[in-house]
Amino acid sequence: MATAVATDSYAELKARTKAAGQQQVLEDWDALTPEEQAALASEVKDLDFGFIRSALTASLASAGAAGEGAKPVAGVVQLGAGGATDEERRGWRDLGLRLVAEGKVAVLLLAGGQGTRLGSKLPKGCYDIGLPSHKSLFQLQAERLLALQRLAAQAGGGQGKALQWFIMTSPFTHADTVAHFEAGGYFGLDKAQVTFFQQGFLPCMTEEGQIIMETSSKVAKAPDGNGGLYRALHVSGALAAMQAAGVEALDVYCVDNSLARLGDPEFVGCCYARGTQVGARVLAKAHPEEKVGVFAATPEGRLQVLEYSELDPAKASSIDPATGQLYFNWSNICMHYFSIDWLAATVKALSGPGAAYHIARKAIPSKGGSKTPGVKLEMFIFDPFATADKTTLFEVAREDHFGPVKNAPGSDTDSPDTARALLLAQGARWAAAAGAKVAQDSAGLEVPALVSYAGEGLEGLVGGLEVAAPGPWLLGADGRLDA
Ligand code: UTP
């Protein structure tokens, strides 16, 4: 049971909130139970009023500037005719595998989001998208990481370091995420290679900077966005741990991509070979009206991401006659490469006062069941990309890299159903390419990552195999199919 807060520490809290012009935070103090007082005191102690005020001021000042004078990006590493050759791709893959084996690459998962659209009580990573194996997204990703580590060790003659996996959670997802890994025995990984760290949150405020109370004893808060990564890497010590371990590059991805080929050695090798500070895997836009963020250049030629709402429809659909492609053709799937040196400089710049966030104006649930008009501050992971001098945009095949899980089951787009279908279709394609006979109307095949990470090594296993309708099927390590 919590004990009452000592009078002297209450006096201190009162003085701090008064000096910051935030007295309203404690205004119901006398009506609270000792437990509520202790909870509120602990929340208030953690609030950095100076940082919060400067973040709001900087965010209000910078709002609305995105997209002005945006230009198309140049120099994308493309697939297909005239793009990267098979030989180049093999070279990048070999280099990527070597970097993994030497411990120079780590993988980072963004898993702090609340997943409101999906509507699941548990964090998105715990979600079962309905594959034959019923593995959660976290387990699918853990096994891909293990598979990549094994491939890298094989390529290194049997020698290779454990691939480090950093998982960013938030106060909303942390406990359930850790419990899921514990319950699953870390899905075959060594517990020591997995590091959880939490992103921060910021209080919701009125436009004038007054902190809003959700109840008399609780501050209204929201996670600081996936760009909260930068501050969290510093505060948690995760960046320092990477530097101490000799990591030179980080591969970053989102939890809600069923096809996330995490640590993709071809992408990582290409970025590393080019001395890249910020890299991104990109897709050619499916159609001009597709609601995705696109990469663009600022008027000064620096890299930026424009959200679809920031690009006017005429610009979004205009075609470059020289290439036959859309001017703004390259969509962002939030799969990034960062050099540790760029990351260290960026983390430093964004951890102090003056960091600007995006402002979302919302009705914030507040005391007495009311809603107060207020602002939430959120940073996006791509916000600091314009600071990078060396960037690489790397085209990947949509059907092999992008299976988003955003919306509730039954939705036509980006749902667990569409993500499952994409993964099963990928398995069927891999099997067909390796000599299996796949019936046209089969629902497809789940190929566990520990059987094949990216379609390799299947010839001996599935040559001549019948993948019949209806399915879907699960491929075993012995080449047998289970329904
Ligand atoms: P989204 O922006 O799609 O948000 O996250 P979400 O929380 O998953 O879903 P909605 O919008 O509430 O329905 C893209 C990626 O960024 C991570 C998510 O976990 C996901 O991997 N993210 C998002 C964070 O890590 N922290 C955040 O504060 C927000």
Side-chain angles (χ1 to χ4, degrees):
M1 200 179 104
T3 49
V5 174
T7 321
D8 55 345
S9 63
Y10 171 63
E12 207 180 288
L13 288 181
K14 202 168 167 194
R16 267 192 71 217
T17 50
K18 186 161 181 229
Q22 302 284 3
Q23 300 92 314
Q24 78 287 355
V25 169
L26 297 179
E27 71 187 0
D28 296 333
W29 183 267
D30 292 336
L32 301 180
T33 64
E35 287 82 4
E36 289 169 335
Q37 287 181 345
L40 179 57
S42 133
E43 281 203 323
V44 175
K45 272 193 200 116
D46 286 344
L47 293 175
D48 181 343
F49 291 119
F51 181 83
I52 293 163
R53 174 151 297 275
S54 79
L56 179 64
T57 311
S59 310
L60 287 168
S62 71
E68 282 163 25
K71 298 187 294 192
V73 287
V76 176
V77 178
Q78 294 190 40
L79 301 170
T85 63
D86 288 348
E87 198 186 338
E88 278 175 313
R89 295 180 64 176
R90 262 195 307 277
W92 292 329
R93 184 174 181 277
D94 291 348
L95 173 58
L97 288 175
R98 206 170 72 225
L99 294 168
V100 170
E102 290 171 353
K104 290 186 175 157
V105 181
V107 172
L108 189 143
L109 163 61
L110 301 168
Q114 288 173 283
T116 339
R117 285 167 286 173
L118 180 62
S120 157
K121 279 208 183 83
L122 288 173
K124 257 191 203 175
C126 304
Y127 201 84
D128 164 11
I129 61 169
L131 291 168
S133 69
H134 291 289
K135 286 173 187 163
S136 65
L137 289 169
F138 281 139
Q139 182 168 1
L140 294 174
Q141 294 164 18
E143 292 184 359
R144 271 178 217 149
L145 189 113
L146 201 50
L148 174 59
Q149 179 181 300
R150 286 186 187 167
L151 279 178
Q154 275 161 19
Q159 294 292 316
K161 290 196 176 172
L163 178 52
Q164 296 299 313
W165 196 13
F166 291 84
I167 301 180
M168 185 176 84
T169 59
S170 69
F172 301 95
T173 62
H174 186 78
D176 288 329
T177 299
V178 175
H180 188 76
F181 275 77
E182 290 285 340
Y186 283 75
F187 310 114
L189 294 167
D190 181 349
K191 193 172 171 174
Q193 73 189 110
V194 184
T195 304
F196 298 101
F197 68 104
Q198 286 197 56
Q199 73 177 95
F201 57 79
L202 285 166
C204 305
M205 289 173 270
T206 64
E207 197 117 355
E208 292 71 40
Q210 293 296 105
I211 291 173
I212 296 172
M213 298 300 289
E214 188 179 321
T215 66
S216 292
S217 60
K218 195 169 171 217
V219 172
K221 300 184 286 287
D224 54 2
N226 60 18
L229 164 75
Y230 299 110
R231 195 152 179 254
L233 278 173
H234 170 65
V235 174
S236 67
L239 179 66
M242 291 173 201
Q243 288 171 312
V247 172
E248 293 180 26
L250 196 62
D251 182 72
V252 180
Y253 73 101
C254 292
V255 71
D256 50 8
N257 180 357
S258 67
L259 296 180
R261 190 175 291 177
L262 42 102
D264 181 3
E266 195 179 317
F267 168 63
V268 167
C270 174
C271 289
Y272 189 89
R274 292 165 51 118
T276 302
Q277 294 171 313
V278 169
R281 291 184 233 180
V282 296
L283 300 181
K285 247 174 124 172
H287 54 88
E289 296 79 29
E290 195 185 7
K291 290 188 172 173
V292 289
V294 289
F295 281 94
T298 66
E300 300 76 34
R302 321 287 299 186
L303 188 65
Q304 65 172 342
V305 173
L306 296 180
E307 299 216 73
Y308 60 84
S309 54
E310 291 169 336
L311 195 60
D312 77 65
K315 264 192 180 167
S317 57
S318 59
I319 292 194
D320 179 356
T323 61
Q325 292 173 339
L326 292 168
Y327 275 111
F328 294 95
N329 190 42
W330 300 107
S331 62
N332 176 28
I333 52 171
C334 197
M335 305 210 74
H336 300 303
Y337 169 101
F338 299 137
S339 74
I340 293 294
D341 291 346
W342 177 84
L343 206 49
T346 304
V347 160
K348 196 161 167 227
L350 295 181
S351 297
Y357 291 75
H358 297 263
I359 292 189
R361 292 183 168 78
K362 300 258 158 123
I364 313 288
S366 35
K367 255 181 12 186
S370 63
K371 296 224 166 150
T372 307
V375 295
K376 286 184 176 181
L377 299 184
E378 236 193 343
M379 191 176 284
F380 299 142
I381 193 165
F382 50 76
D383 285 342
F385 284 7
T387 65
D389 295 321
K390 293 182 181 167
T391 61
T392 295
L393 298 185
F394 185 93
E395 183 184 9
V396 290
R398 181 180 291 266
E399 65 275 17
D400 275 326
H401 290 261
F402 195 45
V405 185
K406 297 284 181 193
N407 302 320
S411 313
D412 292 345
T413 54
D414 301 351
S415 73
D417 316 300
T418 56
R420 177 178 66 247
L422 286 165
L423 197 139
L424 293 168
Q426 182 189 56
R429 267 196 323 277
W430 288 353
K437 292 186 202 101
V438 182
Q440 280 229 320
D441 48 353
S442 167
L445 177 66
E446 178 183 355
V447 178
L450 292 169
V451 175
S452 181
Y453 167 80
E456 78 291 339
L458 290 173
E459 289 77 8
L461 204 60
V462 303
L465 190 76
E466 298 249 359
V467 181
W473 305 98
L474 173 63
L475 179 66
D478 55 2
R480 266 193 251 172
L481 294 185
D482 258 327

